[in-house]
Amino acid sequence: MVARTWRYAAGLALLGALAGGLVGCTSSPAGPGSTSGPTGGATSVPATSAATSPSSGTATGSATGTLAYPADVPAEARVNSPAGAMAFARYFFAQVNKAYTTPQAGLIRPLSDATCLSCASFADNADGYVQKSQRYSTDPIRILEVSVAPDPEPQDGRLVDLVARQQKATLIDFAGRVQDSFSEKEGVFLINLRWSGQGWFVRKIQARQ
């Protein structure tokens, strides 16, 4: 995995919300979560109680959802093992995709620690899409590879290397009008996971460089 990690290192200026919290509340060509390119500042999105569905005009989710641990986390992603950590990392980003394409709020915060700035940015973006009745036309993130990181592990968690592709996609409104577009890029990220009695939580996401 180490050789593959550095093979992708040149593509790390992507997925703005992944790169250590360099994010904002709306999207730009830099990728999900970025307002002004890879070094854009963070901006908060006001939360709302419900929003209108892009397709049906019905409410799709609350921007202030419960923080109870989700019941639909797969059994394989609830195991305190390397395989469990990798399964959870895949599940987490599947939830990010769901939050962006539905759109739906309340999916990301219950799976992450307050210290995870990237996770908070993903959640803020989803809140904003719900509020504005916008969504991604296709999954923004495709996971190409997940593996155990070679770095020393924290006592209470696991480190996972994740090769991700920012998919070519558009951001559309409730009428299908294109609001923004995103190019395809790839990069490698270190996912720091914390284990608790409930299950896994994302503690931090870092770009490999």
Side-chain angles (χ1 to χ4, degrees):
M1 177 60 197
V2 175
R4 186 172 177 82
T5 296
W6 298 118
R7 173 185 166 190
Y8 283 96
L12 291 177
L14 78 149
L15 297 169
L18 285 177
L22 306 179
V23 295
C25 60
T26 58
S27 297
S28 76
S34 175
T35 53
S36 56
T39 58
T43 308
S44 297
V45 177
T48 59
S49 59
T52 302
S53 166
S55 58
S56 64
T58 59
T60 59
S62 167
T64 54
T66 177
L67 294 181
Y69 200 70
D72 63 347
V73 177
E76 62 269 22
R78 291 176 176 264
V79 181
N80 186 4
S81 69
M86 289 187 289
F88 180 81
R90 289 185 178 277
Y91 170 79
F92 176 83
F93 285 101
Q95 294 301 94
V96 173
N97 283 335
K98 181 178 179 180
Y100 276 39
T101 56
T102 305
Q104 185 173 344
L107 297 178
I108 300 167
R109 288 188 176 92
L111 299 171
S112 56
D113 286 345
T115 57
C116 183
L117 300 181
S118 302
C119 306
S121 298
F122 279 135
D124 284 347
N125 290 339
D127 291 350
Y129 298 148
V130 170
Q131 181 187 34
K132 298 174 184 178
S133 296
Q134 297 176 342
R135 65 182 178 88
Y136 268 61
S137 59
T138 189
D139 287 350
I141 302 171
R142 180 184 176 189
I143 304 305
L144 302 181
E145 183 177 329
V146 181
S147 64
V148 175
D151 311 71
E153 291 185 336
Q155 288 185 337
D156 59 345
R158 301 274 180 179
L159 298 177
V160 172
D161 272 332
L162 184 141
V163 182
R165 174 179 295 157
Q166 174 182 292
Q167 302 270 69
K168 184 177 181 179
T170 55
L171 181 70
I172 59 177
D173 65 14
F174 69 96
R177 295 183 292 257
V178 175
Q179 304 298 305
D180 211 336
S181 60
F182 311 96
S183 59
E184 185 175 282
K185 300 175 184 177
E186 294 181 1
V188 182
F189 301 89
L190 178 66
I191 314 301
N192 187 326
L193 300 177
R194 176 180 64 84
W195 175 259
S196 78
Q198 289 180 292
W200 292 106
F201 293 86
V202 179
R203 179 160 42 198
K204 191 175 183 180
I205 302 174
Q206 295 174 275
R208 285 285 199 185
Q209 46 185 324

